[in-house]
């Protein structure tokens, strides 16, 4: 069983970044134990409302207890934030003044050895956020071909020894417990290297793969923009470079009117800015916070404000409109390359 509670990261900075005001309406997409949510509710009283979402039923249970005093102004939903738009439509919860994503896992989940997220204690190699998900980390390590496993560990773990680790895993299959995987990684890379545990990156890679973390983040922040009212804030706290890169590129792209590649003679993308960067610099914890909560050391907070008048979101249809927007990798698509070449050839 977990032994400690979760200490919220960048708490004051989050409330400030969200610009929480009395009577405001907010969404916490990663409710966890409910500490950020409690602070949002406290600062938005009187009249504030909060929709809290978490995929983990245990988190919802913990948050319900924590937020008991605010039960009349909270709505807690056990769901994956990939369904953000559908959840808000179902509960008529839009437009909102602010949306928070505090990504990753809570200390409660990390310390619960029965969930399989920690390499410090033995437990089943599970790593699912919700028991309703079908694929566990054990399913992945025991069934994925070696080349795909190498790619997965390299891409999601940014692990230089991915090939050695994948090949050792395949040699020692079946792998069913966290400690068994730790020992395999240690054998593959030859014991401890530097300050971080050798299994850190492999565990990160598997967790990202099991929970589709990057794809879900990319989709959910796109959905989030369309739920914000004019001046509403999108705040994202990430804990590793893969997540932060997605958030940074998304916010940068959505705060620009044209996203044609440099050198394009005239704009052909037709893109218009939907966000304004509130702070160009990423917000990180103070040395004091890192000292009192070492888990906060890798946190990065980014904040942007919606500059689309609410009417524009549901222009023409009279309903909430969710444009797909232009994705970061749009320019790699053959149709876009063709368009770009055509534009350049007319110069
Ligand atoms: C870092 S914790 C949040 C802690 C919270 N801010 C607090 O103050 O206690 C992240 C939470 O997000 C949840 N989570 C992660 N990815 C999710 C997703 N795709 N959909 C819903 N919840 C998710 C996890 O289950 C976890 O409870």
């Amino acid at each position: 069983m977990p032994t400690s509670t979760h200490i919220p990261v960048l708490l004051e900075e989050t409330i400030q970044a969200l610009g929480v005001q009395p009577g405001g309406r907010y969404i916490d997409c990663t409710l966890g134990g409910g500490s950020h949510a409690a602070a949002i509710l406290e600062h938005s009283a009187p009249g504030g409302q909060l929709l809290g979402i978490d995929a983990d039923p245990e988190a919802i249970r913990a948050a319900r207890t924590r937020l008991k005093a605010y039960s009349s102004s909270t709505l807690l939903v056990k769901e994956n934030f990939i369904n953000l738009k559908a959840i808000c439509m179902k509960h008529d919860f839009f437009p909102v003044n602010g949306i928070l994503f505090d990504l990753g896992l809570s200390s409660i989940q990390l310390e619960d050895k029965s969930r399989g997220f920690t390499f410090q204690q033995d437990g089943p190699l599970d790593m699912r956020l919700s028991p309703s998900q079908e694929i566990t980390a054990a399913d992945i390590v025991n069934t994925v071909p070696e080349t795909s496993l190498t790619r997965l560990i390299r891409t999601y773990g940014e692990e230089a020894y991915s090939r050695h680790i994948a090949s050792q895993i395949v040699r020692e299959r079946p792998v069913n417990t966290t400690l068994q995987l730790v020992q395999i990684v240690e054998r593959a890379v030859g014991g401890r290297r530097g300050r971080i545990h050798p299994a850190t990156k492999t565990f990160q890679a598997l967790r990202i793969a099991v929970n589709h973390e990057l794809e879900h983040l990319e989709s959910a922040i796109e959905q989030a923009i369309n739920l914000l009212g004019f001046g509403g804030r999108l705040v994202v706290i990430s804990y590793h470079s893969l997540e932060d890169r997605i958030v940074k590129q998304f916010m940068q792209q959505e705060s620009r009117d044209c996203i044609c590649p440099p050198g394009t003679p005239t704009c052909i993308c037709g893109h218009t800015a939907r966000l304004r960067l509130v702070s160009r610099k990423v917000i990180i914890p103070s040395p004091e916070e890192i000292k009192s909560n070492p888990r906060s050391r890798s946190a990065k907070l980014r904040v942007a404000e919606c500059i689309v008048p609410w009417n524009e979101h549901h222009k023409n249809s009279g309903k909430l409109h969710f444009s797909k927007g232009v994705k970061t990798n749009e320019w790699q698509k053959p149709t876009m390359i063709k368009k770009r070449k055509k534009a350049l050839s007319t110069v």
Side-chain angles (χ1 to χ4, degrees):
M1 283 301 282
T3 51
S4 76
T5 52
H6 179 85
I7 305 170
V9 172
L10 291 166
L11 185 60
E12 266 176 44
E13 293 85 347
T14 300
I15 299 302
Q16 211 177 345
L18 282 168
V20 181
Q21 302 154 17
R25 192 190 245 184
Y26 300 90
I27 306 176
D28 184 346
C29 296
T30 49
L31 192 60
S35 302
H36 279 111
I40 292 170
L41 283 159
E42 193 184 309
H43 285 80
S44 61
Q49 288 177 308
L50 179 113
L51 167 63
I53 300 170
D54 205 294
D56 182 352
E58 293 297 328
I60 294 288
R61 247 192 297 279
R64 206 177 290 289
T65 309
R66 173 81 205 266
L67 304 175
K68 211 169 173 179
Y70 302 100
S71 60
S72 60
S73 34
T74 50
L75 173 63
L76 307 186
V77 180
K78 190 212 97 52
E79 256 289 4
N80 195 298
F81 61 55
I82 183 76
N83 299 319
L84 180 59
K85 165 188 147 188
I87 299 165
C88 292
M89 297 285 269
K90 180 175 173 191
H91 297 285
D92 252 341
F93 204 88
F94 59 85
V96 297
N97 301 84
I99 302 182
L100 170 66
F101 291 85
D102 176 22
L103 300 167
L105 298 172
S106 68
S107 308
I108 303 165
Q109 291 164 320
L110 277 168
E111 288 171 16
D112 184 349
K113 63 179 184 182
S114 73
R115 305 292 298 269
F117 291 116
T118 176
F119 47 77
Q120 279 157 349
Q121 298 178 76
D122 201 13
L125 202 51
D126 188 318
M127 301 197 191
R128 290 170 302 167
L129 284 179
S130 161
S132 59
Q133 289 168 231
E134 280 175 16
I135 312 282
T136 66
D139 293 330
I140 294 180
V141 295
N142 291 320
T143 59
V144 169
E146 186 174 328
T147 46
S148 307
L149 202 52
T150 303
R151 204 172 326 118
L152 187 154
I153 297 171
R154 188 177 54 232
T155 313
Y156 291 155
E158 300 184 290
E159 170 60 86
Y161 292 85
S162 56
R163 208 161 44 82
H164 297 80
I165 296 170
S167 129
Q168 192 73 28
I169 288 174
V170 170
R171 259 199 301 277
E172 299 200 29
R173 278 171 177 172
V175 187
N176 291 314
T177 71
T178 51
L179 227 50
Q180 204 185 343
L181 181 60
V182 168
Q183 286 159 0
I184 288 173
V185 175
E186 282 172 346
R187 273 196 286 281
V189 304
R192 263 184 180 278
R193 292 170 292 152
R195 276 191 310 134
I196 73 158
H197 190 285
T200 309
K201 294 178 173 186
T202 304
F203 270 65
Q204 172 185 303
L206 287 171
R207 198 193 85 198
I208 291 176
V210 168
N211 298 298
H212 304 282
E213 290 183 18
L214 304 182
E215 299 94 312
H216 287 185
L217 171 62
E218 228 170 321
S219 166
I221 51 178
E222 167 64 37
Q223 296 176 44
I225 297 193
N226 294 306
L227 295 163
L228 290 170
F230 184 73
R233 299 275 179 93
L234 172 63
V235 175
V236 187
I237 308 174
S238 61
Y239 295 87
H240 57 76
S241 57
L242 297 173
E243 285 171 346
D244 184 53
R245 203 171 303 145
I246 289 173
V247 179
K248 181 179 166 185
Q249 287 180 351
F250 178 77
M251 288 187 175
Q252 277 176 350
Q253 175 178 288
E254 291 308 328
S255 58
R256 280 162 45 195
D257 268 339
C258 167
I259 54 166
C260 290
T264 311
T266 50
C267 173
I268 51 164
C269 68
H271 186 262
T272 51
R274 295 186 287 167
L275 294 176
R276 174 183 78 81
L277 298 180
V278 175
S279 160
R280 284 204 168 266
K281 275 181 71 180
V282 68
I283 298 166
I284 55 170
S286 64
E288 293 74 40
E289 175 167 1
I290 295 174
K291 202 167 166 204
S292 66
N293 181 15
R295 197 191 149 265
S296 70
R297 68 187 174 278
S298 53
K300 289 197 169 127
L301 184 152
R302 294 191 186 270
V303 52
E305 185 173 282
C306 177
I307 55 168
V308 185
W310 176 249
N311 288 344
E312 291 285 314
H313 281 312
H314 49 134
K315 202 167 53 177
N316 305 328
S317 63
K319 277 188 175 164
L320 191 60
H321 169 65
F322 289 92
S323 77
K324 283 285 305 152
V326 181
K327 288 265 182 279
T328 323
N329 61 1
E330 196 76 2
W331 288 102
Q332 266 89 59
K333 288 194 180 151
T335 48
M336 293 304 272
I337 292 171
K338 228 167 148 185
K339 262 191 181 179
R340 196 165 72 216
K341 277 191 180 153
K342 200 171 160 199
L344 287 169
S345 69
T346 57
V347 186

